[in-house]
Amino acid sequence: QVQVEESGGGVVRPGGSLRLSCVVSGFTFSRYSVHWVRQAPGKGLEWLTISSYDGSHEDSAASVKGRFTVSRDNSKSTVFLQMNSLTPEDTGIYHCARGHRFGSTWTNHYFDYWGQGALVTVAS
Amino acid sequence: QSALTQPPSVSGDPGQRVTISCTGGSSNIGAGYEVHWYQHVSGTVPKLLIYGSTYRPSGVPDRFSGSKSGTSASLAITGLQAEDDAEYYCQSYDNSLSAWVFGGGTRLTVL
């Protein structure tokens, strides 16, 4: 049974940093990419970044590029999202989700298992 | 401004059929990338409804179906039920942004 669980959310002041963790189980972690998706209050889903299964693919949304970095520890089936220079616009629920490739095109990922999310609030 | 455009809202009576469109461009859907659909009820985890533009995961009722043509895709829901009242998102990949992208979301109201 696949399980995905985020942790590390909280309240942080503007300009501050926070690190989220995403622990997964129930599948071979080293064979899957993991994505981070957030939802700001009253807004839709926004893709943020990917932790590719082999570490070879680095992409981030323009809104977080240069501020958010992702890393993974395959021995612990865990992905980390390091968030720096946070602004109030970064407030929201942060989900991690397993990326499942469809067909032969590597970027044809869909997100089949999601965590409940970690709430991040950036406020003074 | 999302790379994928969805109508903000649609509505229908129980038992009716509704469709939700997802319009992209030459760098995403038109480039051949597949479209995937999610149902999101506030306070819960987004649920995968359609993957690979037309495939349903096990457990998703066959009332839900997906299609893709050119630079657009659609989600159709037949036999509307009260439990379908939710937000729906399309998702694909955009090679000019080098990013996975979601549509802005469509709020389905079952009247």
Side-chain angles (χ1 to χ4, degrees), chain A residues 39 44 59 107-109 111 114, chain B residues 34 38 40 45 91 98 100:
Chain A
Q39 184 171 33
D59 272 332
T107 48
N108 268 330
H109 281 199
F111 311 130
W114 297 63
Chain B
E34 300 292 346
Y38 304 86
H40 191 204
V45 173
Q91 173 252 314
S98 293
W100 284 264

Side-chain angles (χ1 to χ4, degrees), chain A residues 20-91:
Chain A
L20 302 182
S21 300
C22 172
V23 179
V24 306
S25 61
F27 63 95
T28 305
F29 178 69
S30 60
R31 294 175 60 182
Y32 285 88
S33 299
V34 173
H35 298 252
W36 287 94
V37 175
R38 75 181 172 190
Q39 184 171 33
K43 299 290 181 67
L45 300 176
E46 179 189 13
W47 176 83
L48 297 180
T49 190
I50 179 176
S51 168
S52 61
Y53 72 100
D54 61 357
S56 65
H57 197 99
E58 295 182 0
D59 272 332
S60 295
S63 59
V64 303
K65 193 163 290 188
R67 301 188 300 124
F68 290 14
T69 56
V70 67
S71 60
R72 66 194 284 153
D73 183 339
N74 281 351
S75 69
K76 297 181 179 179
S77 297
T78 302
V79 174
F80 303 99
L81 181 66
Q82 177 66 43
M83 305 185 293
N84 299 328
S85 303
L86 287 163
T87 74
E89 287 68 42
D90 294 315
T91 293

Side-chain angles (χ1 to χ4, degrees), chain B residues 22-105:
Chain B
C22 176
T23 303
S26 60
S27 59
N28 43 68
I29 301 174
Y33 295 108
E34 300 292 346
V35 179
H36 320 290
W37 292 89
Y38 304 86
Q39 178 191 62
H40 191 204
V41 175
S42 182
T44 69
V45 173
K47 175 185 176 182
L48 178 68
L49 276 184
I50 298 288
Y51 67 94
S53 301
T54 61
Y55 297 86
R56 273 189 316 275
S58 61
V60 173
D62 60 7
R63 303 186 295 105
F64 295 89
S65 63
S67 63
K68 187 184 84 161
S69 178
T71 58
S72 296
S74 289
L75 173 71
I77 309 172
T78 59
L80 266 184
Q81 298 181 3
E83 66 204 48
D84 300 332
D85 198 294
E87 194 86 17
Y88 292 82
Y89 295 90
C90 60
Q91 173 252 314
S92 187
Y93 182 79
D94 191 292
N95 61 27
S96 69
L97 298 173
S98 293
W100 284 264
V101 290
F102 286 95

